[in-house]
């Protein structure tokens, strides 16, 4: 209601009372901003003040605008559920898309708000959690300095395009690492699951990149493995699979037969 041109003359309590105002407790105005403010932020601030006044809690910290610093010092972007999309340079084109909303008008990177952690009501919902771009309602410049709503902020031209360029390199590399880490050590090409019987299609690029990736990953560290004699139990204990399948116990069943045949051993049913 305090937007330019409002006919009511409304303004914030701080503007109305002035910077020299002090309450009977000697406090200046405390602002819990928002349109409407998150109820939990209000009760949280009241609780912190009461605990302090009772000598049971530390002195609550407020910023230069009288906002509880523990609630409003971080931008909402830093803890947004969509921040990973921003970082990978993928952006929503229309409402309902799951990606970052900056190109359809989200001001989150410059807005101090905690709704993505606190939720709107009872720790649920909240703007970006529910698909709505941030229009800066906790900021003193709201609404005029964030209008027109739902138009991408000018600053995002630089930052989102920088993320897009970086993301176009990072995303495919991450997919390679992700695919590789979706494979168990004992099965790599063929997934041991009724959900995916097809043969894995691993490209040469994948193999080369993963080779160097693993070399860096295990540089100066021991690779996990269980065939080394010093790793065997000193008591001579062997797990059931180890007793049944010998040194091939970590190999997939369909591969044990082939391995045994190569060694010239007889296997029952050609499998084990
Ligand atoms: S939706 Fe907004 S707050 Fe969330 S990552 Fe994108 S720009 Fe940041
Ligand atoms: S995310 Fe933005 S629009 Fe939503 S409550 Fe916070 S400041 Fe207001």
């Amino acid at each position: 209601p305090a937007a330019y041109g409002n006919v009511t003359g409304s303004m914030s309590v701080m503007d109305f009372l002035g910077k020299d105002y002090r309450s009977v407790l000697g406090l200046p105005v405390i602002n819990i901003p928002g349109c409407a403010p998150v109820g939990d932020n209000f009760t949280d601030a009241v609780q912190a003040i009461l605990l302090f006044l009772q000598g049971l809690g530390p002195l609550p910290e407020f910023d230069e605008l009288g906002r509880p610093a523990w609630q409003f010092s971080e931008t909402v972007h830093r803890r947004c559920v969509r921040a990973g999309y921003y970082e990978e340079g993928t952006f929503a084109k229309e409402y309902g898309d799951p990606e970052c909303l900056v190109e359809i008008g989200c001001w989150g990177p410059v807005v101090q708000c905690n709704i993505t952690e606190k939720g709107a009501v009872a720790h649920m919902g909240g703007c970006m959690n529910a698909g709505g771009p941030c229009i800066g309602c906790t900021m003193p410049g709201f609404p005029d300095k964030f209008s027109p709503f739902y138009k991408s902020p000018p600053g995002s031209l630089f930052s989102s395009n920088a993320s897009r360029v970086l993301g176009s390199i990072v995303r495919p590399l991450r997919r390679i690492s992700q695919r590789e880490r979706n494979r168990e050590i004992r099965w790599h090409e063929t997934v041991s699951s009724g959900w995916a019987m097809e043969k894995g299609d691993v490209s040469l690029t994948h193999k080369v990149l993963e080779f160097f990736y693993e070399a860096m990953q295990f540089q100066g560290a021991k690779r996990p493995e269980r065939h080394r004699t010093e790793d065997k139990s000193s008591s001579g204990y062997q797990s059931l699979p180890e007793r049944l399948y010998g040194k091939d116990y970590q190999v997939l069943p369909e591969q044990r037969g082939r391995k045994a045949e190569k060694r010239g051993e007889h296997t029952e049913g050609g499998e084990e």
Side-chain angles (χ1 to χ4, degrees):
Y4 283 133
N6 85 83
V7 293
T8 63
S10 63
M11 62 182 71
S12 74
V13 174
M14 200 163 71
D15 287 351
F16 183 72
L17 295 175
K19 70 179 172 131
D20 296 326
Y21 171 81
R22 297 291 180 274
S23 72
V24 287
L25 293 173
L27 292 170
V29 172
I30 291 170
N31 285 307
I32 313 290
C35 184
V38 172
D40 283 350
N41 280 341
F42 177 77
T43 48
D44 183 29
V46 170
Q47 173 190 264
I49 294 164
L50 291 179
L51 286 173
F52 169 67
L53 292 176
Q54 290 297 313
L56 298 172
L59 178 68
E61 197 185 332
F62 296 90
D63 69 10
E64 60 175 3
L65 296 174
R67 299 174 292 200
W70 70 96
Q71 294 174 351
F72 293 97
S73 57
E74 296 282 357
T75 64
V76 73
H77 172 75
R78 289 187 185 142
R79 293 174 184 172
C80 178
V81 290
R82 298 169 190 250
Y85 286 109
Y86 190 107
E87 190 243 352
E88 287 192 352
T90 49
F91 303 100
K93 293 189 175 44
E94 54 187 53
Y95 300 102
D97 287 349
E99 297 92 352
C100 165
L101 306 166
V102 73
E103 297 201 334
I104 52 175
C106 185
W107 284 80
V110 295
V111 169
Q112 287 154 266
C113 171
N114 64 353
I115 202 159
T116 42
E117 309 145 65
K118 209 90 163 184
V121 179
H123 294 269
M124 292 202 288
C127 307
M128 290 71 80
N129 295 348
C134 171
I135 53 171
C137 79
T138 58
M139 302 290 274
F142 176 81
D144 301 299
K145 290 194 175 177
F146 294 91
S147 64
F149 294 159
Y150 310 124
K151 181 171 183 258
S152 82
S156 73
L157 269 181
F158 176 72
S159 54
S160 63
N161 282 325
S163 296
R164 196 171 261 125
V165 172
L166 186 63
S168 66
I169 301 165
V170 165
R171 275 196 318 275
L173 293 176
R174 283 185 180 162
R175 292 302 83 81
I176 289 174
S177 298
Q178 181 189 31
R179 186 195 181 283
E180 191 65 29
R181 273 134 204 89
N182 257 330
R183 298 286 180 270
E184 224 187 83
I185 285 179
R186 76 186 73 187
W187 42 259
H188 186 263
E189 303 280 319
T190 308
V191 177
S192 173
S193 150
W195 296 100
M197 299 302 287
E198 74 275 9
K199 188 103 171 125
D201 186 17
V202 183
S203 66
L204 183 62
T205 321
H206 175 111
K207 284 181 184 161
V208 171
L209 287 172
E210 188 55 33
F211 174 81
F212 287 109
Y213 191 95
E214 278 201 11
M216 286 166 68
Q217 185 180 350
F218 293 111
Q219 192 178 25
K222 195 175 123 186
R223 278 177 192 261
E225 54 163 336
R226 289 177 222 157
H227 288 306
R228 298 155 67 105
T229 43
E230 61 266 35
D231 288 345
K232 295 207 169 175
S233 166
S234 56
S235 69
Y237 170 78
Q238 287 188 316
S239 65
L240 181 62
E242 197 173 358
R243 251 182 284 149
L244 287 175
Y245 304 123
K247 64 180 180 180
D248 292 336
Y249 79 102
Q250 291 195 86
V251 176
L252 285 177
E254 57 268 28
Q255 290 166 4
R256 282 184 206 126
R258 262 178 266 135
K259 278 184 166 271
E261 266 171 33
K262 267 194 193 166
R263 289 197 298 268
E265 294 169 10
H266 171 71
T267 57
E268 272 180 40
E271 277 293 295
E272 282 77 32

